[in-house]
Amino acid sequence: MTHAELWERHKAVMPDWLSLYYEEPIEIVQGSGRRVTDGEGNSYLDFFAGILTNAIGYDIAEISDAVREQLSSGIAHTSTVYLIRKQIELAEQIAKLSGIENAKVFFANSGTEANEAALLLATQNRRSNQVLAMRNSYHGRAFGTVAITGNRGWSASSLSPVNVQYLQGAYHYRSPFKNLSDADYIKVCVDDLRNVIETTTSGDVACLIAEPIQGVGGFASPPDGLYGAFKEVLDEYGILFISDEVQTGWGRTGDNFWGIQAHGVVPDAMTFAKGLGNGFAIGGMVARPDLMDSLTANSLSTFGGNPISTSAAKATIDYLLDHDLQANAAKRGAQLADGLRGIAEEFPELGDVRGKGLMLATEIVNPADNTPDAATTAKLQQETKNRGLLIGKGGLYGNVLRMAPPMTLTEEETTEAIEILRDSFNTLR
């Protein structure tokens, strides 16, 4: 069956709002290392990794063996009403890695569920439905997480279970304060935070939730230290700080294991998902024990932290740590960033290179006035695909190319990707 035929079947039974990449969408049917093959036999170097989810790559023996071993027991599922050994082992490891003192861990099935759990616990703990979030943010597609998403392209409803106020600071490139030094930029954003609390809330805010680097928002990155400065103000009011590490966790940003560590602060809670399972569905939250234990009603998670997903996740973390993939993300990320900056020197359409480690993006603009250029962005994404490279797209205006390959990426593969990207930009001339 051709991709075109499969696409027709997709359109007949799937929602119109379920967006697909490319003029002619593809089915990925096989993978090995950092490369995948589509249903028509075309091979690609994968630089988006299932939206930052296949963190280690494809067909990794250690992860496959861990899943097979669990399956061989005949137990794929029991639910959280029973003890789950791999869940406990994984929780112990994440709690230690979190840096949060005496941390406790709750497992769900996705980043959306993780952020929903964080909202529930924070509002319960503070007895307040007031929440602070960042402009240009994205935290999931459920009712509560859509409500705290500061990007209208991904927020389908004005209805909300929480009272949300949005802050300045995360999207530096198009901020009204972008021409300030980093120190002055942080100062005005902190002043804005304090002003928002004092003028638009009753003071007893539950939490601020923020992505250290905004994922769907186009890998928008604030100056290091911004959230550390925010935390000082939050602590004055007793407001909890939740770091959404769904895309920035597990060493992907290179210099740090968690994205928030670049800001010199330990949050009250962190949410996680995506890369933890290397393709298996898992998410969760790690938090201070008093926050995690503040829920007074009964609760559970039917599928969260099931034996299969936690076996895969435990093997993924072990592989990541044993092979020091955080260091590799830093090295290959620096190589890729240098290559992108070199392209930017040749092509004024590449307005901004940003991100950290193997979480990098380019913002595509009209050189005449620096306005967002979504059409050229779509063209470039298609051109890279035609040359055998898969990259993501995003940003508030749909004009950002996102690159987040598996963290096992090699030097040779990085060079190959840079050459494909340069060839794709050459089609603009």
Side-chain angles (χ1 to χ4, degrees), residues 184-201:
D184 287 341
Y185 181 90
I186 290 172
K187 182 180 184 304
V188 297
C189 292
V190 169
D191 290 344
D192 173 65
L193 164 62
R194 191 181 296 278
N195 183 259
V196 166
I197 294 172
E198 293 177 351
T199 63
T200 68
T201 78

Side-chain angles (χ1 to χ4, degrees), residues 243-409:
S243 181
D244 179 341
E245 300 277 351
V246 169
Q247 297 197 28
T248 51
W250 321 116
R252 174 165 288 282
T253 60
D255 291 339
N256 297 292
F257 194 77
W258 305 101
I260 198 61
Q261 290 172 325
H263 297 268
V265 62
V266 177
D268 300 291
M270 294 187 289
T271 56
F272 54 80
K274 289 193 181 290
L276 173 61
N278 200 53
F280 285 84
I282 190 168
M285 173 185 177
V286 55
R288 288 175 7 204
D290 59 311
L291 173 57
M292 188 67 82
D293 291 337
S294 62
L295 192 64
T296 55
N298 293 326
S299 195
L300 52 75
S301 179
T302 301
F303 292 105
N306 68 77
I308 299 298
S309 65
T310 49
S311 293
K314 184 69 171 64
T316 297
I317 287 189
D318 289 344
Y319 188 100
L320 188 152
L321 295 174
D322 291 345
H323 293 80
D324 197 8
L325 295 189
Q326 179 182 330
N328 190 61
K331 292 176 184 176
R332 299 286 71 81
Q335 180 188 357
L336 180 58
D338 285 345
L340 292 171
R341 292 188 185 104
I343 296 172
E345 291 176 359
E346 301 176 42
F347 296 90
E349 292 88 352
L350 203 168
D352 189 34
V353 177
R354 58 177 179 251
K356 293 182 178 182
L358 287 177
M359 188 175 180
L360 295 171
T362 61
E363 180 153 348
I364 308 304
V365 302
N366 184 327
D369 56 8
N370 207 48
T371 54
D373 191 342
T376 298
T377 306
K379 171 180 168 58
L380 287 167
Q381 187 189 35
Q382 183 68 39
E383 292 291 346
T384 58
K385 179 253 185 185
N386 294 344
R387 290 165 174 76
L389 179 69
L390 302 182
I391 58 178
K393 189 175 68 171
L396 182 62
Y397 307 102
N399 70 316
V400 178
L401 296 173
R402 297 194 286 163
M403 284 155 271
M407 293 166 62
T408 48
L409 186 72

Side-chain angles (χ1 to χ4, degrees), residues 187-246:
K187 182 180 184 304
V188 297
C189 292
V190 169
D191 290 344
D192 173 65
L193 164 62
R194 191 181 296 278
N195 183 259
V196 166
I197 294 172
E198 293 177 351
T199 63
T200 68
T201 78
S202 60
D204 57 338
V205 177
C207 66
L208 164 64
I209 183 167
E211 306 155 273
I213 298 175
Q214 294 184 324
V216 169
F219 294 174
S221 309
D224 288 352
L226 174 71
Y227 293 120
F230 275 13
K231 184 70 162 60
E232 293 180 11
V233 176
L234 299 176
D235 287 347
E236 292 178 27
Y237 292 88
I239 300 169
L240 300 169
F241 179 44
I242 300 166
S243 181
D244 179 341
E245 300 277 351
V246 169

